[in-house]
Amino acid sequence: MNHLQKTRTAAAWMALILVGLTAALTLPGCAGVGVKPWERDILAAPGMQVDPDPLVTALDEHIYFSKEASTGGLGTGGGGCGCN
Amino acid sequence: MAATRSSGSAVRGALAAACGLLGVGGARAQATEVQTAVLGYSEPGRVTAFEGIVDASHTLLNGKTLTGHLVFDTLTGASANGAVPTGGIQTFTSPSGESNYQTEAGKTPLDSTFKDTRAALNLGLSTPFDRLTAWGAGVYFSGEHDYTSLGANTSLTRDFNRKNTTLALRASYYGDSISPVGGRPIPFAAMVAPDIAQPRQNGNGTKNTLDLTFGLTQALSRRTIFAVNFTHSRVRGYQTDPYKVLSLVDDVTGSPLDYLYESRPDARNKDMVFATLARHIGGDDVHLSYRYFTDDWGVASHTADFRYRWHAGSDWYLQPHVRYTRQTRADFYRRFLVSGEPLPETASADYRLADMKGWTAGLQYGRRLASGHDLTLRAEYFRQTNSGAGTTTFGDLAGYDLFPAVDAIILQVGYSLDLGVDGRSG
């Protein structure tokens, strides 16, 4: 199996997992997962956000983009640069 | 305090003016947040970089949010040019083709002519369709003396399950123009002495990138939230690093005969899945994330990240951070080329495309000031190592470290202002 095939296989698995997760969490029967509106106190705290430090994330993404072959994934995106 | 109010008011005014230009005015300011940070990055003996960011968001009463993200960075110092160390002094022609630089015997060749300054601006607007759905759009510009990038993005988010589940779709497109100092080298052309005709291609390089992201965020309990992103990235065009070379070495002695400019494929397809879990434990916040990356260049990586925010006091915290990554080399990675062997179609000796492990360890301190603003300080240590797997050395090459570790120190100061409703600090 060459790298292109491996990539496509991995991508297909990821997509399958995500579709499954999405379906499981959005179907009406599973709507019990989560919290009531009045139970959001902890999840609303700054330190409990999915990305509690967006600037740290942005700066780190730039560093690792410049120093590694892998990049992205956090959904922040970003254009290219001639980073060294 | 007066100065703070004054600057906050100025920022609010500027953002409100920008809203007016975009046709989203007419509503009173609802909330404004400004975050700033300055970062220093230093690899002893190599690169030093400084980066400053200003991030501002302004939410109107009608729910629309305008965001601005301004970045400015400078880079100086030396970067590995790809050649191998040898027993004698090595002389390289600088990218401009007008001068040269030398590397001592036994040392990793570093190009010390780098000096770069970059500015980037990202503007975005998010508009709610209804109580559960929002649409966003943004534009991006980044410019440095040899690289320009223009981009646009759009996103759609929808909440489900009493807002416990959020789905997001995002698409981004970037068009880049690459105009290297001295021009783009001809692939695998041999480096020649300065001030004679340099082996260069005509015109600038161009590259375009399309990113598609699908994201899912799920509140699992009162103390736990989970998010996962799947991203496909399609890159086409000039992806060669015009400043990197490969040593062409003698097949017996391992001594360099020539330095050849590198060449990379002009197509790359990347896929990555990123998952993160945040959990509130005993009054502290724990973030654990993992990313799997794979592409058709042969690179695959696993990256794990752990942060523990220890709320040591009512208005301050300490946050240890550990990151680990491991990547496989690109198919076309070659530490050097050997004379007498056929030239590959593509090849690069850029250590960033090699088998690699990376460790980061750091500590962040955060404090809520009396003004209600937040101050953060961060210090981290970053180390990259390469085992040299896949490379067989011989002759003189066996006596040198072809895969030196790279160490870096990262320092950051951040300051955030939540200007609250109508610009009042709070």
Side-chain angles (χ1 to χ4, degrees):
Chain A
M1 186 182 279
N2 62 31
H3 283 297
L4 187 59
Q5 287 169 319
K6 278 184 188 169
T7 301
R8 287 183 175 159
T9 305
W13 273 109
M14 290 178 202
L16 194 64
I17 291 167
L18 279 168
V19 168
L21 269 174
T22 304
L25 293 167
T26 55
L27 285 174
C30 299
V33 178
V35 296
K36 303 286 189 297
W38 56 88
E39 295 175 326
R40 290 189 172 272
D41 52 340
I42 293 173
L43 294 180
M48 277 299 289
Q49 301 310 296
V50 169
D51 184 0
D53 292 306
L55 287 199
V56 170
T57 302
L59 289 163
D60 279 358
E61 279 284 281
H62 190 204
I63 290 171
Y64 298 124
F65 167 81
S66 306
K67 294 292 158 187
E68 296 170 357
S70 309
T71 184
L74 293 117
T76 49
C81 70
C83 305
N84 277 281
Chain B
M1 286 304 290
T4 303
R5 265 196 211 101
S6 169
S7 64
S9 178
V11 169
R12 185 168 57 90
L15 284 164
C19 286
L21 285 174
L22 288 171
V24 295
R28 261 185 337 118
Q30 176 70 7
T32 302
E33 289 181 18
V34 180
Q35 296 184 309
T36 63
V38 178
L39 176 134
Y41 174 94
S42 177
E43 295 173 7
R46 293 196 180 193
V47 166
T48 298
F50 291 97
E51 182 159 351
I53 293 189
V54 178
D55 205 75
S57 73
H58 181 71
T59 304
L60 304 172
L61 273 183
N62 58 14
K64 292 183 178 180
T65 302
L66 180 74
T67 55
H69 185 80
L70 179 67
V71 180
F72 183 80
D73 57 54
T74 65
L75 183 144
T76 55
S79 182
N81 70 4
V84 294
T86 69
I89 293 175
Q90 300 189 79
T91 303
F92 301 93
T93 301
S94 63
S96 68
E98 296 169 351
S99 61
N100 56 33
Y101 60 94
Q102 293 190 319
T103 298
E104 292 175 37
K107 301 283 188 184
T108 299
L110 304 174
D111 181 353
S112 57
T113 63
F114 280 103
K115 186 169 176 60
D116 217 342
T117 301
R118 183 179 75 111
L121 177 66
N122 211 327
L123 292 174
L125 176 67
S126 172
T127 305
F129 274 145
D130 56 40
R131 201 173 55 83
L132 300 174
T133 313
W135 173 76
V139 291
Y140 172 85
F141 166 79
S142 167
E144 51 197 297
H145 73 281
D146 58 355
Y147 205 107
T148 304
S149 180
L150 284 170
N153 63 72
T154 185
S155 63
L156 187 68
T157 59
R158 171 134 183 118
D159 294 325
F160 299 87
N161 297 345
R162 300 186 308 275
K163 297 195 174 184
N164 283 300
T165 307
T166 303
L167 296 182
L169 289 170
R170 180 186 169 95
S172 307
Y173 181 85
Y174 302 95
D176 300 352
S177 174
I178 304 106
S179 50
V181 173
R184 288 185 301 143
I186 294 170
F188 295 126
M191 182 180 276
V192 298
D195 293 328
I196 60 173
Q198 299 292 310
R200 300 290 193 262
Q201 307 177 66
N202 291 326
N204 294 343
T206 59
K207 183 176 86 174
N208 60 70
T209 304
L210 176 66
D211 289 344
L212 298 171
T213 299
F214 173 76
L216 166 70
T217 304
Q218 175 66 42
L220 295 175
S221 73
R222 195 172 163 224
R223 296 171 181 274
T224 312
I225 190 164
F226 171 78
V228 60
N229 283 341
F230 171 74
T231 303
H232 175 74
S233 181
R234 179 185 181 278
V235 189
R236 296 291 182 271
Y238 188 73
Q239 297 176 67
T240 294
D241 188 326
Y243 305 128
K244 300 282 190 235
V245 296
L246 297 110
S247 297
L248 177 67
V249 303
D250 184 272
D251 57 349
V252 176
T253 66
S255 299
L257 305 172
D258 254 322
Y259 307 112
L260 309 186
Y261 291 101
E262 69 152 56
S263 176
R264 304 184 190 190
D266 58 7
R268 189 180 189 189
N269 296 297
K270 304 184 278 189
D271 287 289
M272 60 217 84
V273 61
F274 171 83
T276 187
L277 183 80
R279 170 97 177 149
H280 191 71
I281 301 175
D284 301 328
D285 304 320
V286 181
H287 278 78
L288 185 64
S289 64
Y290 166 78
R291 183 188 66 192
Y292 176 68
F293 173 100
T294 181
D295 69 12
D296 56 4
W297 280 7
V299 176
S301 72
H302 301 274
T303 305
D305 192 287
F306 174 77
R307 293 166 204 261
Y308 189 99
R309 185 170 293 193
W310 174 43
H311 292 283
S314 60
D315 57 357
W316 64 283
Y317 68 83
L318 282 176
Q319 180 174 280
H321 170 222
V322 180
R323 177 183 186 268
Y324 172 75
T325 189
R326 192 183 76 193
Q327 77 175 38
T328 60
R329 64 185 177 277
D331 297 331
F332 56 88
Y333 173 78
R334 301 279 187 281
R335 184 62 189 90
F336 47 79
L337 296 173
V338 181
S339 67
E341 294 182 358
L343 272 180
E345 202 174 319
T346 53
S348 172
D350 189 338
Y351 75 94
R352 297 171 296 188
L353 294 169
D355 283 282
M356 187 192 288
K357 290 178 182 173
W359 275 102
T360 306
L363 188 67
Q364 179 169 311
Y365 165 78
R367 183 168 201 99
R368 173 63 55 94
L369 304 175
S371 59
H373 302 164
D374 292 310
L375 173 72
T376 54
L377 304 171
R378 180 168 74 115
E380 304 213 309
Y381 172 71
F382 173 42
R383 181 178 179 84
Q384 290 179 295
T385 59
N386 183 327
S387 66
T391 299
T392 305
T393 56
F394 56 89
D396 295 343
L397 292 170
Y400 301 106
D401 184 2
L402 302 186
F403 303 96
V406 177
D407 299 287
I409 300 291
I410 300 163
L411 298 172
Q412 182 188 320
V413 179
Y415 193 80
S416 300
L417 302 79
D418 183 352
L419 299 176
V421 177
D422 288 332
R424 285 191 294 273
S425 295

